[in-house]
Every structure is written in C-alpha cells, then in structure tokens.
Amino acid sequence: MQSNDARMLTHTAVPTAAVGALAVAVAAVLAGGKGAIGAAVGTLVVVVFMGIGVLVLQRTARSLPQLFQAMGLMLYTAQLLLLLVFVALFKDTTLFDPKAFAAALVTATLVWIAAQARAHLKAKILYVEPGSSDAKKPHAAGTAA
C-alpha cells in the first residue's frame, strides 16, 4: 500500500469510526442494547465495504490505470446497491434494531464519502510524473539533442 493510499484510508476510516461510535452511544440511549448492536453492525458494514473498495481501486490503479475512473464509478454504484441490499435484508431482523442499523449505515456512508472527498482535496498528489534530471539539462549550442 502506497503512503498516499494508506493516508487516504486513515483519513476516511477514522472519522467514520468516530461517528459510528457516536451512533452506537446514541442508539444505546434511544433503543437500548439492540440499538447499539444495530449501529455497530451498520458502521462495521460501511467500513468493511468502503475499505475493500479503496483496496480494489488501488489495485486497479496500479495494474489498469486506463480503467481507474470507470472502475471507481462502477465500484461506488455497486457499494451503494449492496448497502441498500443489506438494509432490505435486515429490515425485519430480531438480532438488532433495524432502524438504528439503517441510520448508522446511512450516516457512516455519508461521513465516509465526505471524508474521502476532503482527503482527496487535501492530498498533494502529483498528476504529472516529474521528468528525469537528464531531460532538464540544457543542450549546448551546436550539439545534437
């Protein structure tokens, strides 16, 4: 994992986990133990899904850079659809409070996306590869380039 990618993952996962912890506390107060479990599961699902997405995009960027943007759009669409499927599958569960689960899932997803956008804006990533030192040396007049 490159340092930019690790930093990006840290700058997105930490705020999401912090908001998830806050969601667990709020859900515990409002819905009891089942609410806390639902909020924790919702946050965990978001961190795992989005973290896997970052790793997939990272691998794609290294091996097939020409597909990076298309892969990113497809991946985010697939992630949001999978999150919707999770909400639909667990809406009638008795393992945890489904409302706390859905609220934490949506909140954590929004925080992840906002934190990722902020991390991209703050990152100082070169978009042009710097040339080698030989390419920058001036040629003397009358010599072949």
Side-chain angles (χ1 to χ4, degrees):
M1 181 177 280
Q2 295 179 356
S3 65
N4 284 340
D5 297 327
R7 193 174 317 121
M8 192 77 60
L9 190 58
T10 303
H11 287 176
T12 53
V14 169
T16 304
V19 168
L22 183 64
V24 168
V26 169
V29 169
L30 296 177
K34 288 199 178 224
I37 293 170
V41 170
T43 302
L44 182 67
V45 166
V46 169
V47 170
V48 168
F49 272 35
M50 298 298 192
I52 289 172
V54 168
L55 296 175
V56 168
L57 281 179
Q58 187 181 64
R59 182 166 284 196
T60 301
R62 269 190 262 124
S63 61
L64 301 166
Q66 69 274 16
L67 295 179
F68 181 71
Q69 185 174 12
M71 184 68 164
L73 292 171
M74 190 273 312
L75 183 69
Y76 287 130
T77 302
Q79 285 174 333
L80 291 176
L81 288 174
L82 283 172
L83 291 175
L84 181 65
V85 167
F86 262 82
V87 171
L89 286 175
F90 289 108
K91 70 180 180 182
D92 295 325
T93 188
T94 58
L95 299 172
F96 49 79
D97 184 22
K99 288 182 182 178
F101 169 75
L105 191 108
V106 170
T107 304
T109 301
L110 292 175
V111 169
W112 181 283
I113 292 170
Q116 193 171 33
R118 183 178 186 277
H120 276 291
L121 288 173
K122 296 286 184 181
K124 294 183 169 114
I125 301 171
L126 297 175
Y127 58 91
V128 176
E129 292 290 327
S132 67
S133 60
D134 292 335
K136 296 194 180 216
K137 290 182 182 175
H139 296 287
T143 61

